[in-house]
Amino acid sequence: MCMTDVLVLGAGYAGMRACKVLAKSKLDLNVTLVNKNSYHYDATALHTVAAGTNVPENIEMDIRDAVSDKIKFVQDTVVDINREKNEVDLAENGSLHFDYLFNALGFEAETFGTPGADDIALKISNVDNALEDYHTILAALEKYQETKDKSLLSIAVVGGGFTSIELLGELAYQIPKWAKKYGFAKDDMKITCIAPGFLPMFDKKYADYAQKYLESKGITFIMGGKVSEVKTDGVIYGDDKIFLPANITFWTAGVRGNKIMAKAGYDQHRDRVAVNDDMSLSDFPNEYIIGDVSAVKDPESGRMYPTTGQISIVEATNAVKNLEARLQNKQPVKFVYNSLGTVCSLGPYSGIADINLLGVHLKLKGIIVPPLKHAIFKRSAFELSGLKASLQS
Ligand code: FAD
């Protein structure tokens, strides 16, 4: 009997979850997963690698160990998607045919065309650039040791959302260690967060707690300031075009989908594609778009849901169920999302959380939050690939 060729692109949370559910399917599916690296990584911990409080090995999981033997894994880079021909072009292995496609190619940093942001600022969107970020910080610290030039100790973090604040927490934790190792006073390190707003997803009381906590660890906040340019020696912000000197600038002010989406001709906005409520597309019904490359409207607010790992996993499960329904001539299952909440770490010893667990709504702050985040990571690793991966870190 002829098997149905299913191709999954990307081994992030969405792609890995799709493979996990596809592997359990009773249908005759020939499933292939394509990913540029041999490993899946926990993108929610990339900021720890960027700040050097963690090493890549702790957030990576070997894909071959993690996915079922029923899934064929091809390590390669997707360079284009030929949607008319049902083919995906790879950098090294030619083209792969699909009957059904799960596109889960993930996120990139969005700089909104801000001059200098693309070329100069550091980004946190994959393991490679997170590790490069850390090496850039180390190079500056080593140069300081030689020159005693304190301007090398200045870092600007652009953005007031989740990634920025979690990064600031890790950087703040490093200040005393770096001060001791490279021979400067803690106050000499100037780390400044510049953003128009601050943690909009949390109640003000909890966002204020986060700000005060980080200030007590040496972080400065400039609120209300939109950065209009990144230069090699600082950033320009605010209506009055104020210059803030910074030897290193992190751009953590936005995400977009993978740029391949525009290249492959998807009807997209910032490389995110609006999908039907069964995660499929009207013009190409054999394609499911899941994770950060998709855009799903929240029926309550009328706005698109934010891009998160949590929603990526729910989307992937829903999309696979809908493929199975389609192949069995059953009705599609509408995508429904109930957020489990948000957990934001402020370094290893504090954080804030707003969570919904078993029908209970909890708001937390302080030392209890980092272990909670770690437990969520363990659970996610376990759900993606079983006991082995969850025991690795
Ligand atoms: P990705 O995780 O981006 O995975 C895409 C995969 O595709 C990657 O493996 C990549 O290597 C691969 N790929 C990309 N291009 C190609 C190509 N051309 N060819 C082959 N393979 C390719 N979300 C939460 O829910 N909770 C949190 O606490 C949280 N914290 C975060 C903290 C940080 C610092 C960051 C950066 C994000 C955080 N997020 C959080 C958001 C979350 O990480 C993303 O929403 C999630 O990673 C999206 O999953 P995805 O599977 O769509 O894409």
Side-chain angles (χ1 to χ4, degrees):
M1 199 171 70
C2 188
M3 300 264 276
T4 304
D5 284 335
V6 178
L7 203 50
V8 180
L9 307 182
Y13 300 104
M16 291 292 278
R17 173 55 68 104
C19 287
K20 171 122 190 170
V21 187
L22 284 163
K24 289 187 181 154
S25 176
K26 305 249 178 317
L27 302 175
D28 278 331
L29 304 176
N30 176 29
V31 184
T32 304
L33 167 66
V34 181
N35 194 66
K36 63 163 76 153
N37 305 305
S38 60
Y39 55 85
H40 158 83
Y41 53 84
D42 179 22
T44 66
L46 284 171
H47 60 292
T48 60
V49 173
T53 52
N54 205 351
V55 290
E57 296 74 45
N58 283 345
I59 68 163
E60 291 169 359
M61 193 189 282
D62 192 299
I63 291 171
R64 286 185 180 88
D65 283 352
V67 295
S68 153
D69 293 342
K70 291 184 190 163
I71 311 285
K72 183 179 170 204
F73 172 55
V74 176
Q75 186 185 343
D76 208 334
T77 299
V78 175
V79 290
D80 208 351
I81 304 168
N82 192 331
R83 305 171 69 210
E84 304 288 346
K85 281 177 145 180
N86 284 0
E87 276 180 6
V88 169
D89 298 336
L90 303 179
E92 289 170 16
N93 291 292
S95 300
L96 291 176
H97 165 265
F98 63 87
D99 296 313
Y100 291 93
L101 184 73
F102 289 85
N103 187 328
L105 285 169
F107 71 95
E108 296 182 14
E110 169 61 295
T111 55
F112 308 102
T114 310
D118 274 333
D119 308 332
I120 299 168
L122 307 187
K123 321 287 183 319
I124 306 180
S125 52
N126 55 54
V127 176
D128 289 344
N129 62 19
L131 194 58
E132 267 173 39
D133 297 347
Y134 179 50
H135 290 157
T136 304
I137 296 174
L138 285 187
L141 293 170
E142 279 157 15
K143 200 160 165 203
Y144 167 80
Q145 223 173 11
E146 281 166 30
T147 62
K148 302 292 173 209
D149 174 0
K150 287 188 182 166
S151 72
L152 292 163
L153 303 177
S154 51
I155 299 178
V157 174
V158 183
F162 214 81
T163 304
S164 318
I165 302 312
E166 292 207 312
L167 171 68
L168 287 162
E170 302 300 314
L171 292 173
Y173 174 72
Q174 294 284 49
I175 295 175
K177 292 184 170 187
W178 287 335
K180 198 169 168 206
K181 183 163 179 195
Y182 295 96
F184 56 84
K186 283 187 279 180
D187 290 351
D188 289 337
M189 185 127 212
K190 307 286 181 211
I191 303 181
T192 309
C193 173
I194 314 174
F198 185 63
L199 289 180
M201 63 296 271
F202 283 97
D203 281 357
K204 189 171 178 317
K205 182 180 156 195
Y206 288 81
D208 286 349
Y209 169 85
Q211 183 171 347
K212 285 203 178 73
Y213 178 85
L214 292 172
E215 282 171 345
S216 75
K217 303 284 171 201
I219 306 294
T220 303
F221 286 88
I222 299 176
M223 286 299 133
K226 190 167 177 248
V227 169
S228 54
E229 188 172 352
V230 178
K231 293 171 166 276
T232 48
D233 57 351
V235 299
I236 311 274
Y237 72 92
D239 294 341
D240 297 333
K241 305 282 173 221
I242 301 165
F243 177 69
L244 174 83
N247 177 47
I248 292 173
T249 298
F250 275 94
W251 187 273
T252 47
V255 292
R256 60 183 298 137
N258 193 312
K259 292 206 177 80
I260 249 175
M261 304 306 279
K263 185 181 174 196
Y266 285 93
D267 183 9
Q268 47 72 43
H269 177 61
R270 297 204 175 104
D271 293 291
R272 296 182 68 202
V273 178
V275 290
N276 297 329
D277 59 13
D278 64 348
M279 305 310 300
S280 72
L281 295 176
S282 302
D283 51 352
F284 287 88
N286 61 335
E287 293 190 35
Y288 294 92
I289 313 294
I290 52 177
D292 282 5
V293 281
S294 72
V296 187
K297 200 179 266 178
D298 176 351
E300 268 179 37
S301 71
R303 295 206 304 266
M304 293 300 175
Y305 282 114
T307 52
T308 68
Q310 198 186 132
I311 198 167
S312 300
I313 288 170
V314 184
E315 287 174 2
T317 306
N318 178 271
V320 175
K321 294 283 164 216
N322 278 317
L323 171 63
E324 289 185 309
R326 180 182 304 200
L327 292 173
Q328 295 172 101
N329 293 319
K330 292 183 182 165
Q331 285 300 310
V333 189
K334 211 170 159 177
F335 173 78
V336 179
Y337 178 57
N338 295 309
S339 171
L340 298 173
T342 312
V343 183
C344 178
S345 63
L346 303 168
Y349 298 119
S350 193
I352 52 175
D354 187 338
I355 50 175
N356 302 302
L357 273 183
L358 307 169
V360 183
H361 189 181
L362 283 176
K363 293 184 184 187
L364 304 166
K365 56 183 161 56
I367 197 154
I368 189 177
V369 175
L372 177 71
K373 183 146 191 156
H374 191 63
I376 293 170
F377 166 64
K378 289 275 191 196
R379 182 162 172 253
S380 149
F382 181 74
E383 286 189 351
L384 281 178
S385 67
L387 197 56
K388 184 174 168 204
S390 67
L391 291 174
Q392 272 171 355
S393 66

